[in-house]
Amino acid sequence: MILNKRQRFWTKIVTYAVLLFFAVYCLFPFIWMTVTALKPIDEIRSSKPSFLIDSPTLENFKNVLFNTGFLTFFKNSLIVSVAATIITLLISIFAGYALSRFMRFKGIKATGGAMSLSQMVPPVLLLIPLYVLMQQYNLLNTHYSLILAYTTFMVPLCTFMLKGFFDSVPYEMEEAAEIDGCSRVRIIFQIVLPISIPSLLATSLFAFVNSWNEYMFGFVFINDEAQRTLTPGITLFKGLYTTDWGSIMSASVLAVIPIAVIFMYLQKYLIEGMAAGSVKG
Amino acid sequence: MKKKYLFTLFICAISFFVLIGCSSKSKSASSGGEGDGKEQVTLDYWASWNPGSVEEEKTLAKIKKFEEEHPNIKINVELLTFDMMHDKLIASISAGNPPDISWGLSEWFGELNRMGALLDLTPYYNEWSDKGKLNQNVMDSLTVDGKVKALPQYLGIRALLYHEDMLKEAGYDAPPETWDELLEMGPKIKEATGKEAFGITGTTVRSSQELLMYLAQSDVSIAQKMDDGNFKNTWADNPEEMKRATETFQFYKDLLNEGAIPEDSKTWGWQELDTNFAIGKYAMNVDGSWMKDREAENPDEMADVKIAPPPYNTKPATFLEVSPLYVYGATEHPKEAWEFASYILSEEWQSDIRPTNSPRTDVVSDSQWGEGFTSLTDTGVVFPEVPLGGITQAMQDSIARLLLKGEDPQDVAEWLSKAINEDLKKNGILSE
């Protein structure tokens, strides 16, 4: 449809108005969180809530960083998330490749089906069986329990994400490498993976963010404060009868920073990676 | 060559994170070597105080003192919110690995007892020199078939809190004593102050606690223990009880229709209720002595707060929140667990940490935050000792049906009666 100048102008106005509305809608919680983190307690509890801060303070951040176990929780989350991401990626690369290239085999087909089915089981249903399992293997209260649980839940989805991308990699490239005497593992690492960087980054980001944000297994499997991860750690500011909103908000702001930074730098790859497996060609 | 190097680096990174990340200490040993001829014991204690609070500081000092006086016992504290604690307890009990002692809500008592998770404390309790010092009403709520199954570590008795200045502005010298008086005051307070007279909760566990109290004020209970030892909601069998239950739901409806409560309070949880009262957004609510802590945060708004018995319909009643200290049957050290539990209930601990909300009759603060609440203990009602998960949810749903969907109070009372009995049946404890 051809639009005249006036119509183009109004279309632009409406588009930007809608985009602005959704941007404000999405950003509001983050802005409110940051503003609250910078407010002193009497302004947080004020009967007239406002975006403007009369006496901005870093007291909440200081309290979170120096008087609580926040840094320990942060370190633990980082270790667990990075380890779970690497292991998930390693397994998913091979599993995704197998699903992409050997779907004609019955066993592979059945494994793919089983992986799809496993996505339909809510994690909360597996809480008690997994707890018992971790206890029997003496893994409770260690990072191993979390890494294993997170990997278990992320491998199927990451496998399907990577399978989608591997499907779009021309098989002829592998055949050429094979003719040159390249082994299957070498093909994966030297031919397929180097051209799959955007997809690998998107999958790693997905795995990392999921591990970073996980809450339920984090609080059920871990008893020791020294091993606790960030999400259950932050909820401790919610006390018995009162909630320390200033500390919760500043801890949340600090917890969001790594994810925000990663997204900012890798956004380009993320979009490429998401789109990569969507069209087969 | 470069690729090979990268691959090696990749494998090293995995090993590094796995080794560093998982080189944590394992679960603390529950017993160890010999010391002074006694077995070294570590008790796992799950608690829920506010991190960084004065309570935490005092409690940790007391625990340290206890450990010094009992060199063979070490207390391993884990701090959890109540939301986290329930799921964690259920998982650990199912795996046969609960802590030795934990805090908990009274709503979990029936569930934990029916799971067989609680230690029978009767032999220890009977030999305890301070057993006469605990309020009998409170102990009865933690006793099943003559067996003491938990100990009360603090009381969250509810009373009417009111902003005296707002009432005076509307021409009232005293708070309401009955529901009718409260409803009558609603429009006048609104007119004089521009603020609503009362606050309620429509969500979270607090709303079911409030509903239990209002039902008790109409002299009805949600489930009665029958002759066969099982439980039943008897409203449908007794028209008089159904009428009184309906009156309770009508009271909620009247509060809303008369403008006595803020329009949005039908979806409030405890946080909104407490915070809005503390900042003076409405005049009165039924709340606990923990609101004293809000004096520090909102000194000006809380300066005029006074305490009185909750207004009632036909019978004075309040919710008696007994915060139980659970000792678990799976503990390998019941004697040491009792030693610690009884220390928590000692006069020394209670007068230092629970001066205003102690279950001990000899620890009563003179302030309105102490005496004002503990004087209501005799009118306190508690939840029946049945699994409450489904029942408290049904109670919350009944308020939503009434206030959000606008259903008829009698229909809601009938629905709740049926829902409670269905849940009792599901748990195999419905008296037929």
Side-chain angles (χ1 to χ4, degrees):
Chain A
M1 191 171 68
I2 297 167
L3 302 175
N4 62 31
K5 201 174 174 187
R6 193 185 157 86
Q7 282 171 323
R8 274 208 303 275
F9 172 76
W10 282 110
T11 309
K12 215 175 228 180
I13 292 285
V14 171
T15 307
Y16 278 103
V18 171
L19 287 175
L20 188 71
F21 170 78
F22 280 109
V24 170
Y25 184 80
C26 293
L27 285 175
F28 181 84
F30 295 99
I31 297 169
W32 188 251
M33 183 170 84
T34 313
V35 167
T36 308
L38 293 166
K39 280 180 179 174
I41 190 157
D42 56 326
E43 288 189 48
I44 292 172
R45 295 250 189 238
S46 167
S47 51
K48 292 172 190 137
S50 162
F51 268 109
L52 303 174
I53 311 169
D54 286 338
S55 331
T57 176
L58 290 175
E59 214 40 55
N60 295 320
F61 286 98
K62 260 166 69 183
N63 178 45
V64 165
L65 288 172
F66 303 116
N67 299 335
T68 69
F70 179 83
L71 291 176
T72 310
F73 305 153
F74 193 94
K75 183 196 81 183
N76 292 335
S77 272
L78 203 64
I79 290 168
V80 169
S81 304
V82 170
T85 304
I86 292 173
I87 297 170
T88 301
L89 210 59
L90 199 63
I91 298 170
S92 302
I93 286 170
F94 291 111
Y97 184 82
L99 284 185
S100 171
R101 296 291 185 254
F102 305 109
M103 209 48 167
R104 60 185 180 279
F105 295 117
K106 270 185 189 165
I108 301 286
K109 220 177 231 176
T111 308
M115 279 185 164
S116 303
L117 277 177
S118 74
Q119 292 301 289
M120 294 170 197
V121 182
V124 72
L125 283 184
L126 298 175
L127 184 65
I128 293 175
L130 275 177
Y131 185 94
V132 175
L133 207 67
M134 298 297 173
Q135 190 201 358
Q136 283 174 355
Y137 285 105
N138 241 344
L139 293 177
L140 280 182
N141 216 16
T142 68
H143 291 154
Y144 284 115
S145 58
L146 298 182
I147 293 168
L148 272 174
Y150 296 170
T151 307
T152 310
F153 285 102
M154 282 181 310
V155 160
L157 215 59
C158 289
T159 300
F160 288 122
M161 280 174 81
L162 287 174
K163 176 196 176 294
F165 185 81
F166 294 150
D167 282 346
S168 67
V169 175
Y171 191 60
E172 289 75 12
M173 283 170 68
E174 291 179 42
E175 283 174 337
E178 237 171 311
I179 288 168
D180 287 344
C182 208
S183 71
R184 189 64 73 178
V185 175
R186 217 167 150 198
I187 287 174
I188 293 176
F189 280 98
Q190 291 195 330
I191 307 288
V192 180
L193 290 190
I195 56 166
S196 312
I197 297 292
S199 181
L200 286 177
L201 281 173
T203 312
S204 329
L205 266 179
F206 168 79
F208 184 83
V209 171
N210 267 301
S211 310
W212 186 263
N213 290 338
E214 205 285 329
Y215 171 74
M216 189 179 64
F217 292 113
F219 81 74
V220 174
F221 289 170
I222 301 294
N223 290 337
D224 190 353
E225 185 143 335
Q227 312 303 323
R228 193 167 278 161
T229 50
L230 209 45
T231 37
I234 289 176
T235 58
L236 285 180
F237 293 113
K238 190 177 159 196
L240 187 53
Y241 292 116
T242 52
T243 301
D244 185 353
W245 287 112
S247 298
I248 283 197
M249 293 301 164
S250 44
S252 303
V253 168
L254 293 169
V256 161
I257 287 174
I259 303 288
V261 169
I262 292 174
F263 266 88
M264 228 181 285
Y265 281 100
L266 301 181
Q267 197 184 26
K268 191 182 76 176
Y269 293 108
L270 186 69
I271 293 163
E272 274 180 35
M274 292 290 194
S278 59
V279 182
K280 218 174 167 182
Chain B
M1 193 63 198
K2 193 180 166 192
K3 297 269 164 64
K4 209 171 200 178
Y5 173 73
L6 279 174
F7 182 70
T8 315
L9 203 69
F10 182 63
I11 296 298
C12 286
I14 294 174
S15 317
F16 172 78
F17 279 112
V18 168
L19 287 173
I20 297 292
C22 309
S23 60
S24 56
K25 57 183 177 185
S26 58
K27 187 184 186 300
S28 56
S30 60
S31 60
E34 301 281 315
D36 297 335
K38 283 185 176 176
E39 186 192 14
Q40 286 297 312
V41 168
T42 299
L43 298 177
D44 286 325
Y45 177 45
W46 292 2
S48 193
W49 57 70
N50 286 3
S53 62
V54 178
E55 183 187 354
E56 177 174 67
E57 199 182 307
K58 285 182 175 179
T59 306
L60 292 179
K62 280 275 178 286
I63 289 176
K64 195 174 170 205
K65 189 175 173 216
F66 176 82
E67 287 175 336
E68 282 165 6
E69 287 170 0
H70 301 80
N72 64 319
I73 305 176
K74 189 179 171 333
I75 308 298
N76 181 31
V77 177
E78 186 184 358
L79 216 50
L80 301 158
T81 64
F82 275 134
D83 298 343
M84 291 159 83
M85 197 185 287
H86 180 258
D87 295 350
K88 206 169 154 100
L89 275 175
I90 298 303
S92 61
I93 290 166
S94 305
N97 181 37
D100 299 281
I101 307 172
S102 85
W103 288 27
L105 291 178
S106 53
E107 281 88 335
W108 309 342
F109 181 64
E111 183 183 14
L112 298 181
N113 184 44
R114 284 185 184 272
M115 285 175 86
L118 303 176
L119 182 71
D120 179 8
L121 297 168
T122 318
Y124 303 100
Y125 182 73
N126 285 340
E127 285 184 15
W128 187 40
S129 57
D130 279 5
K131 78 169 189 175
K133 298 283 166 60
L134 294 180
N135 198 305
Q136 196 51 46
N137 197 14
V138 172
M139 281 314 296
D140 288 346
S141 71
L142 301 172
T143 304
V144 182
D145 299 331
K147 290 178 182 168
V148 176
K149 288 298 188 86
L151 294 168
Q153 59 139 342
Y154 70 79
L155 298 182
I157 305 170
R158 307 296 155 81
L160 180 78
L161 272 63
Y162 63 99
H163 287 285
E164 193 178 33
D165 292 350
M166 282 195 215
L167 264 61
K168 281 188 174 159
E169 220 178 313
Y172 293 106
D173 291 330
E177 287 183 10
T178 62
W179 290 359
D180 290 340
E181 284 178 29
L182 172 62
L183 288 167
E184 194 189 306
M185 288 166 88
K188 291 180 184 160
I189 290 175
K190 177 87 180 174
E191 199 185 329
T193 64
K195 293 170 181 174
E196 286 81 6
F198 200 59
I200 60 159
T201 51
T203 55
T204 69
V205 67
R206 183 81 69 83
S207 64
S208 45
Q209 295 172 348
E210 280 182 359
L211 178 56
L212 183 85
M213 176 188 70
Y214 293 130
L215 287 166
Q217 289 171 356
S218 292
D219 203 14
V220 273
S221 65
I222 56 164
Q224 284 181 27
K225 194 166 193 176
M226 311 304 277
D227 293 339
D228 59 0
N230 285 327
F231 292 81
K232 190 176 187 185
N233 179 293
T234 51
W235 303 350
D237 305 335
N238 185 338
E240 185 53 34
E241 281 187 30
M242 184 60 83
K243 187 175 151 261
R244 294 202 297 267
T246 305
E247 278 173 17
T248 308
F249 287 109
Q250 185 63 50
F251 171 60
Y252 272 89
K253 201 142 208 176
D254 291 344
L255 284 171
L256 186 67
N257 292 344
E258 303 285 324
I261 53 172
E263 179 69 23
D264 56 347
S265 72
K266 54 194 179 191
T267 54
W268 280 358
W270 63 268
Q271 303 234 32
E272 293 90 340
L273 184 83
D274 290 2
T275 303
N276 285 321
F277 180 78
I279 60 178
K281 284 196 110 176
Y282 62 93
M284 298 177 268
N285 79 0
V286 178
D287 221 318
S289 61
W290 56 83
M291 289 299 287
K292 183 182 187 303
D293 297 343
R294 297 294 179 108
E295 281 183 326
E297 292 170 9
N298 298 91
D300 297 335
E301 295 95 334
M302 289 287 286
D304 66 336
V305 170
K306 293 282 182 295
I307 291 156
Y312 61 93
N313 185 20
T314 53
K315 184 185 167 193
T318 191
F319 178 63
L320 180 64
E321 183 184 7
V322 179
S323 177
L325 193 65
Y326 294 119
V327 182
Y328 294 91
T331 179
E332 290 169 14
H333 312 289
K335 198 169 150 283
E336 288 81 2
W338 168 260
E339 287 264 350
F340 182 56
S342 58
Y343 181 60
I344 291 172
L345 265 88
S346 68
E347 190 187 356
E348 179 196 338
W349 178 298
Q350 291 285 318
S351 47
D352 190 26
I353 298 167
R354 309 267 176 229
T356 59
N357 57 357
S358 173
R360 287 183 68 104
T361 52
D362 55 350
V363 178
V364 181
S365 160
D366 292 338
S367 76
Q368 64 165 350
W369 295 104
E371 177 64 28
F373 285 87
T374 46
S375 62
L376 301 173
T377 311
D378 290 340
T379 60
V381 289
V382 296
F383 280 106
E385 69 270 19
V386 297
L388 285 167
I391 292 176
T392 49
Q393 187 55 54
M395 291 170 86
Q396 288 178 44
D397 291 348
S398 68
I399 298 171
R401 280 171 175 264
L402 186 79
L403 300 182
L404 296 175
K405 287 181 79 181
E407 287 185 12
D408 180 66
Q410 177 151 359
D411 292 345
V412 174
E414 284 169 3
W415 177 85
L416 180 59
S417 172
K418 212 173 147 195
I420 290 171
N421 283 336
E422 276 171 9
D423 199 73
L424 292 172
K425 193 174 183 181
K426 212 187 299 171
N427 284 293
I429 49 169
L430 176 68
S431 176
E432 297 292 353

